[in-house]
Amino acid sequence: MPGPSTTLSARYGLAPVYPCDTAGDLYCFEHSTPATGTFAWGQSYQIGAGWQGRVLAGPSGWTFSITTGGELRLLHYNGTTWDSFNGNEYLVLGQGWSYTAANTRYRISVDEDGVIYTLDAAGNLKAHYFNFTAQQWAVQGALLATGLTQYNAIVATSRGVVYARNAAGAMYRYYINFWSGPTATWFTPASPVTTGWQNLKNFSSAGGETFYAVNQNNGNLLWYSYNPVTNAWKNAKIIGSGWNSEQDVVVQTNACSRFPWDTACNSFGMQDGGAVITRLNQVKKN
């Protein structure tokens, strides 16, 4: 498989952004320029209620909800309504997902493929992959790194790419290299790729190493991007205002990409799910 491209593309020309307020009302806002990061928006409308806890967007309308009791649920929004799973609006994937408190809610993130990454209090970074097509866990608790106690937040931004933020606001880029050799390898950074992120919250990504975050001091919604080929940043662009009161702000994780679209997740499930499973198993430590 080829590595990431220098070109960032938006598959449908927009990115669904899902803000959830403190009452649990979930909305969809269509950001019109996710590949360039300008202040341009399309439609906005409410798509749900009762979403107390933690909301996590995944790829292609797949959404994870963590209740205040720690139940992990999977839902799928098809652009009009929520799909049914054997007569229910959601699938229960597990219990004990304690990522709703203020000190843990930024320790979980989802990448372009739908892989969930978690960072626990002991500093263990793990990957979990639920195969949407087969409707079963394919990888659970794959240990990618240990001893990462210096970080208080993570955000997955591309296929196998996870950024981690320390208390001083420095961001470190960890990733799975699955294109340079016969087997995947795990990259551990020696230095940060950017700094000054200590006042940001509600981290998310539209894919392709884009970043969406809210400035907690003024409520501005910010857009960033990183080009992994040229190692170049496009620093903060203000793409919205008045976002400070939202409980969560998350973005569809594969609205953008630097990889071929014919290998990406779609609304039905994975197109190269086997490759995702293989590379996670190749780099895990357990």
Side-chain angles (χ1 to χ4, degrees), residues 88-151:
N88 296 314
E89 197 173 69
Y90 58 85
L91 287 175
V92 176
L93 303 188
Q95 307 290 337
W97 290 72
S98 53
Y99 294 94
T100 61
N103 64 334
T104 60
R105 63 189 306 109
Y106 299 142
R107 291 175 170 268
I108 184 168
S109 192
V110 184
D111 76 4
E112 285 183 36
D113 293 318
V115 178
I116 304 172
Y117 299 88
T118 57
L119 178 65
D120 64 26
N124 298 311
L125 180 66
K126 296 181 180 180
H128 321 260
Y129 173 60
F130 187 83
N131 189 305
F132 303 130
T133 306
Q135 294 191 9
Q136 64 184 16
W137 286 105
V139 176
Q140 287 185 281
L143 183 62
L144 303 180
T146 59
L148 306 184
T149 55
Q150 69 271 36
Y151 301 122

Side-chain angles (χ1 to χ4, degrees), residues 83-236:
D83 287 340
S84 175
F85 298 94
N86 300 318
N88 296 314
E89 197 173 69
Y90 58 85
L91 287 175
V92 176
L93 303 188
Q95 307 290 337
W97 290 72
S98 53
Y99 294 94
T100 61
N103 64 334
T104 60
R105 63 189 306 109
Y106 299 142
R107 291 175 170 268
I108 184 168
S109 192
V110 184
D111 76 4
E112 285 183 36
D113 293 318
V115 178
I116 304 172
Y117 299 88
T118 57
L119 178 65
D120 64 26
N124 298 311
L125 180 66
K126 296 181 180 180
H128 321 260
Y129 173 60
F130 187 83
N131 189 305
F132 303 130
T133 306
Q135 294 191 9
Q136 64 184 16
W137 286 105
V139 176
Q140 287 185 281
L143 183 62
L144 303 180
T146 59
L148 306 184
T149 55
Q150 69 271 36
Y151 301 122
N152 57 24
I154 60 172
V155 55
T157 66
S158 184
R159 310 185 77 172
V161 180
V162 183
Y163 285 71
R165 184 190 68 176
N166 66 17
M171 296 285 280
Y172 290 77
R173 182 177 182 267
Y174 295 79
Y175 69 93
I176 301 171
N177 182 334
F178 53 88
W179 55 86
S180 296
T183 60
T185 55
W186 177 249
F187 177 83
T188 299
S191 59
V193 292
T194 190
T195 58
W197 288 53
Q198 63 271 21
N199 293 319
L200 301 185
K201 65 177 184 176
N202 289 337
F203 303 101
S204 191
S205 175
E209 305 216 33
T210 59
F211 297 81
Y212 289 67
V214 176
N215 184 322
Q216 63 185 6
N217 293 331
N218 57 26
N220 286 337
L221 180 63
L222 306 176
W223 177 97
Y224 301 77
S225 74
Y226 177 71
N227 187 325
V229 180
T230 63
N231 299 321
W233 275 98
K234 289 186 178 178
N235 281 321

Side-chain angles (χ1 to χ4, degrees), residues 40-109:
W41 295 86
Q43 299 183 43
S44 61
Y45 40 91
Q46 186 173 353
I47 60 173
W51 289 67
Q52 284 85 4
R54 181 73 164 96
V55 179
L56 293 162
S60 300
W62 296 98
T63 306
F64 300 93
S65 170
I66 302 176
T67 69
T68 54
E71 184 171 86
L72 177 65
R73 299 172 176 177
L74 175 68
L75 304 92
H76 185 256
Y77 187 70
N78 59 32
T80 303
T81 187
W82 297 95
D83 287 340
S84 175
F85 298 94
N86 300 318
N88 296 314
E89 197 173 69
Y90 58 85
L91 287 175
V92 176
L93 303 188
Q95 307 290 337
W97 290 72
S98 53
Y99 294 94
T100 61
N103 64 334
T104 60
R105 63 189 306 109
Y106 299 142
R107 291 175 170 268
I108 184 168
S109 192

